Amino acid sequence: MRIITLLLLLKSTNLAAQLFSPSGYPQGYFRNPLSIPMRLAGNFGELRPNHYHMGFDIKTNARENLPVYSAADGYIGRIKIEPYGFGRAIYVVHPNGFTTVYAHLNAFNPTLEKWVKDQQYQQQSWKVFLELTPDLFPVKKGDFLAYSGNTGGSQAPHLHFEVRRTNGDVNVNPFLFGFPVADNIPPVLQRLAVYDRTRSVYEQSPRVYPVRAVSGSRYLPSPSVITVASPLVSFGIGAYDTQTGSPNHNGIFESTLLFDDEPVVGFRMDNISYNDTRDLNAHIDYKTKSQGGAFLQHLSELPGYMNSIYKRKKGDGVVDVSDGAVHQVAIVVKDASGNTSTLNYKVQYKLNDRGQEQPVTSAKKFYPLMMDGYESEECEFYIGERCLYDSVHIRYNKAANTNGQVVSSIHTIGAAYIPLRDSMLVRIQPNRPLTDAEKSRTIMQWFAGTKKEIQKVQWQGNWASARFRDLGNFQLVVDVEPPAVTPVGFADGSDVSKASRIVFTVADNFDRIKNVRTELDGKWLRFTNDKGKTFVYYFDEKCMSGQHRLKIRAEDEAGNVTEKVFDIIR
């Protein structure tokens, strides 16, 4: 029995290998960017909300301010500082055609830190994205770049590290470069999902089966023979990978579907562009995940998925079982080190296996790769050809709104569990005449459950328009409430000579601050704003001893402005 199992596993693995060719990236060119062993909290291609994880998250022993070193010779080509995302980041361009990225950093090396500060004062902006010439900051392999941190969209101290092709700025899986990360553990399979592909993937819930390891890295679902009531089906898996000595559940590298011993389709997490990272929503069962379920990865390529990570061998992954025969299915899952797990099962079509769910028919059907729209007296929306991943019926409803700040009906367009790749245009008419002053402060609000987002509208006659990348509920709101600026630990007339910094916060009723400007004695003063929570200025040569006037100006998305002035003594 053990020999038979091993033969089945080897056969499936060898057949799956026909789909993808070996990767040929330079080995040993890059060094570990830290001085401690590389242990991963996250890997390339790991599934995240609305995006793939595009590099390594390297653990820093739950500490900040570990030295970060250049992975190879090159020059610093870019510097990025932002409240979310990468926080503080350095891009090093290498002569072999690749660029490495180091993110969530604290202070840069002193020379670079001073240069960046000067650039921020020249641009009068703490948030910057700087392009550097090769002569400014050349680096050698192992040169000190910065200290690790927890800035930007980071939830705990670590170093986010990427490798990109310099030409085209496409991210490549760092595992393919031979970094010293020990991995002799095969991926773990958790569940199998089966979809009726006579219908949209967004108009059904898949049948999900638990799977179990039966010997080594071979898995079976329960039951091992799956009967289906649809003549066309596709499959998805729940799976994760980890590395030697790590408890973290990271993303898998590759998976291939075999049907009757023939490779059909597969995906590989080897290179992904940031332009395409949102397409994770076509790779996963977005509806299941958005409704609180697990990540399920499709073993089929949805028709609207452009620039796909999938490779086809014999179809798109939707298989025909209408003959009623018992078909052999195997799903082979690999990590980047070549460790392999295989899920084997059988599938058979039986018409009366279970009742079919009724398709949605009371709404207009929209298709991927086609531009279409819907128009009514108070609301219009237009979905572009690159918005949808699968065909789906999109319902429209209108409801009255009694909130005095809201100046339109509530317009419900589709459901939030239908993902959009590109933004759609939404146009709404107010339910009463608006003055010019009200129009100038009108925003469109999207909401679904507890999630909300706003956009400033553009007016065309009596129609207000804005673009959104989600379906759900939409309404027009007149926002006349300015942001609130709150000093922390100081007030007008305060003596701050014993303090090391000045801190204030800005809050808005719709949580959307468009711009904050700070001036000291009429000149721009650099306040940091990491994670968008507080604005912080650490005293330096820009504020010497004496009397000073600090002015803070905050503007929200609707255009409401608050200005506050504080006289302080340093």
Side-chain angles (χ1 to χ4, degrees):
M1 179 64 182
R2 181 177 175 81
I3 294 175
I4 294 173
T5 298
L6 181 60
L7 288 173
L8 284 171
L9 181 60
L10 289 173
K11 182 180 180 182
S12 297
T13 302
N14 291 333
L15 287 169
Q18 298 174 15
L19 203 60
F20 297 104
S21 58
S23 302
Y25 293 96
Q27 303 296 295
Y29 185 90
F30 297 115
R31 60 155 282 176
N32 177 356
L34 298 174
S35 58
I36 60 173
M38 291 185 75
R39 296 187 305 117
L40 302 185
N43 66 352
F44 185 90
E46 188 171 308
L47 311 176
R48 302 286 177 86
N50 289 318
H51 71 285
Y52 293 105
H53 188 246
M54 302 289 270
F56 281 171
D57 279 348
I58 307 174
K59 294 183 178 182
T60 57
N61 296 334
R63 295 164 49 201
E64 297 186 29
N65 295 319
L66 272 62
V68 177
Y69 304 100
S70 179
D73 293 358
Y75 67 91
I76 296 176
R78 297 177 187 170
I79 296 290
K80 191 173 193 178
I81 298 176
E82 59 185 344
Y84 304 103
F86 280 174
R88 292 167 62 91
I90 293 175
Y91 299 62
V92 177
V93 181
H94 305 285
N96 69 339
F98 293 95
T99 294
T100 51
V101 183
Y102 314 75
H104 306 313
L105 302 171
N106 282 345
F108 304 142
N109 75 56
T111 305
L112 181 61
E113 186 73 34
K114 181 181 183 305
W115 183 86
V116 170
K117 180 179 177 180
D118 290 342
Q119 300 304 306
Q120 290 172 315
Y121 271 95
Q122 286 183 26
Q123 295 189 18
Q124 297 190 6
S125 175
W126 169 76
K127 180 181 177 181
V128 290
F129 191 25
L130 306 171
E131 300 277 355
L132 286 69
T133 55
D135 58 300
L136 279 175
F137 291 98
V139 295
K140 292 292 186 181
K141 186 175 186 175
D143 279 358
F144 170 61
L145 297 176
Y147 292 103
S148 68
N150 186 34
T151 59
S154 173
Q155 304 299 314
H158 71 281
L159 174 67
H160 177 82
F161 176 76
E162 297 180 357
V163 181
R164 302 184 183 183
R165 289 201 298 267
T166 304
N167 184 16
D169 217 26
V170 174
N171 287 56
V172 182
N173 193 328
F175 262 121
L176 303 177
F177 293 86
F179 282 97
V181 180
D183 186 6
N184 57 14
I185 301 174
V188 176
L189 287 151
Q190 299 170 295
R191 53 187 65 87
L192 169 70
V194 182
Y195 297 84
D196 171 5
R197 294 307 293 273
T198 65
R199 294 182 291 135
S200 169
V201 294
Y202 308 120
E203 293 173 359
Q204 61 180 291
S205 296
R207 296 177 69 179
V208 179
Y209 301 88
V211 303
R212 69 188 191 283
V214 292
S215 60
S217 54
R218 181 170 176 259
Y219 289 77
L220 290 176
S222 180
S224 59
V225 179
I226 293 172
T227 57
V228 295
S230 170
L232 297 174
V233 295
S234 67
F235 308 103
I237 55 169
Y240 68 87
D241 188 36
T242 188
Q243 291 80 47
T244 303
S246 172
N248 292 77
H249 290 191
N250 300 144
I252 62 175
F253 172 65
E254 178 187 304
S255 186
T256 302
L257 171 71
L258 295 93
F259 187 72
D260 289 334
D261 294 330
E262 291 289 334
V264 177
V265 71
F267 64 83
R268 175 184 276 184
M269 306 287 188
D270 51 0
N271 60 90
I272 302 171
S273 167
Y274 267 103
N275 294 330
D276 303 321
T277 188
R278 187 179 174 89
D279 289 331
L280 165 124
N281 293 336
H283 174 62
I284 67 167
D285 180 340
Y286 186 86
K287 179 182 179 182
T288 293
K289 183 59 182 175
S290 67
Q291 294 182 329
F295 273 119
L296 297 172
Q297 301 182 64
H298 285 300
L299 265 300
S300 63
E301 186 180 57
L302 295 184
Y305 187 0
M306 302 292 100
N307 302 319
S308 163
I309 64 170
Y310 290 85
K311 184 175 181 180
R312 297 187 184 194
K313 181 76 172 181
K314 196 175 180 180
D316 61 1
V318 178
V319 295
D320 188 339
V321 294
S322 61
D323 59 7
V326 176
H327 295 275
Q328 301 282 344
V329 184
I331 296 175
V332 180
V333 181
K334 292 184 179 181
D335 63 25
S337 299
N339 302 300
T340 303
S341 297
T342 301
L343 173 63
N344 295 101
Y345 57 98
K346 299 174 183 178
V347 63
Q348 184 179 24
Y349 172 53
K350 291 185 178 180
L351 180 61
N352 296 319
D353 179 53
R354 74 168 191 169
Q356 291 271 32
E357 296 178 50
Q358 293 299 312
V360 177
T361 57
S362 60
K364 182 173 180 177
K365 192 171 186 178
F366 287 77
Y367 298 87
L369 310 180
M370 291 180 61
M371 183 175 180
D372 204 350
Y374 175 91
E375 298 177 354
S376 67
E377 290 185 359
E378 295 183 31
C379 178
E380 302 173 350
F381 62 90
Y382 301 93
I383 296 178
E385 60 269 21
R386 292 180 61 84
C387 283
L388 291 174
Y389 295 117
D390 197 9
S391 58
V392 65
H393 292 85
I394 295 179
R395 286 194 179 97
Y396 166 76
N397 290 303
K398 182 184 77 170
N401 199 322
T402 58
N403 186 327
Q405 203 175 7
V406 178
V407 293
S408 73
S409 301
I410 300 173
H411 303 277
T412 301
I413 303 172
Y417 59 70
I418 303 169
L420 299 179
R421 185 189 193 277
D422 288 348
S423 59
M424 68 170 181
L425 177 66
V426 180
R427 287 163 46 89
I428 297 176
Q429 288 209 63
N431 54 16
R432 64 172 176 80
L434 301 183
T435 65
D436 289 343
E438 287 177 316
K439 283 187 173 183
S440 70
R441 294 292 184 267
T442 300
I443 55 176
M444 190 179 296
Q445 184 181 47
W446 165 88
F447 60 96
T450 59
K451 297 179 180 179
K452 298 178 181 180
E453 183 185 349
I454 63 167
Q455 298 288 346
K456 186 72 179 290
V457 302
Q458 299 291 321
W459 286 97
Q460 294 174 304
N462 202 38
W463 287 92
S465 63
R467 290 187 174 273
F468 291 86
R469 294 180 78 175
D470 291 281
L471 299 171
N473 305 295
F474 300 85
Q475 61 187 12
L476 297 179
V477 182
V478 175
D479 177 17
V480 295
E481 184 177 334
V485 175
T486 305
V488 179
F490 75 99
D492 186 30
S494 287
D495 184 338
V496 294
S497 57
K498 294 183 179 180
S500 62
R501 62 182 190 170
I502 298 175
V503 180
F504 68 89
T505 62
V506 179
D508 180 64
N509 56 327
F510 286 98
D511 294 323
R512 179 68 72 85
I513 302 298
K514 183 177 181 180
N515 184 50
V516 175
R517 180 177 175 85
T518 51
E519 294 180 356
L520 188 72
D521 302 328
K523 296 181 179 179
W524 183 80
L525 189 65
R526 185 187 69 163
F527 277 75
T528 66
N529 184 223
D530 186 54
K531 304 186 190 304
K533 295 179 180 178
T534 56
F535 292 80
V536 183
Y537 164 70
Y538 292 91
F539 287 114
D540 58 10
E541 75 282 358
K542 302 293 183 180
C543 183
M544 306 301 286
S545 298
Q547 185 107 10
H548 298 280
R549 173 159 291 185
L550 175 66
K551 184 168 79 171
I552 302 170
R553 184 183 189 276
E555 181 183 3
D556 66 15
E557 185 69 19
N560 301 298
V561 174
T562 294
E563 282 192 359
K564 284 197 172 184
V565 176
F566 302 91
D567 289 318
I568 58 174
I569 300 172
R570 171 67 176 146

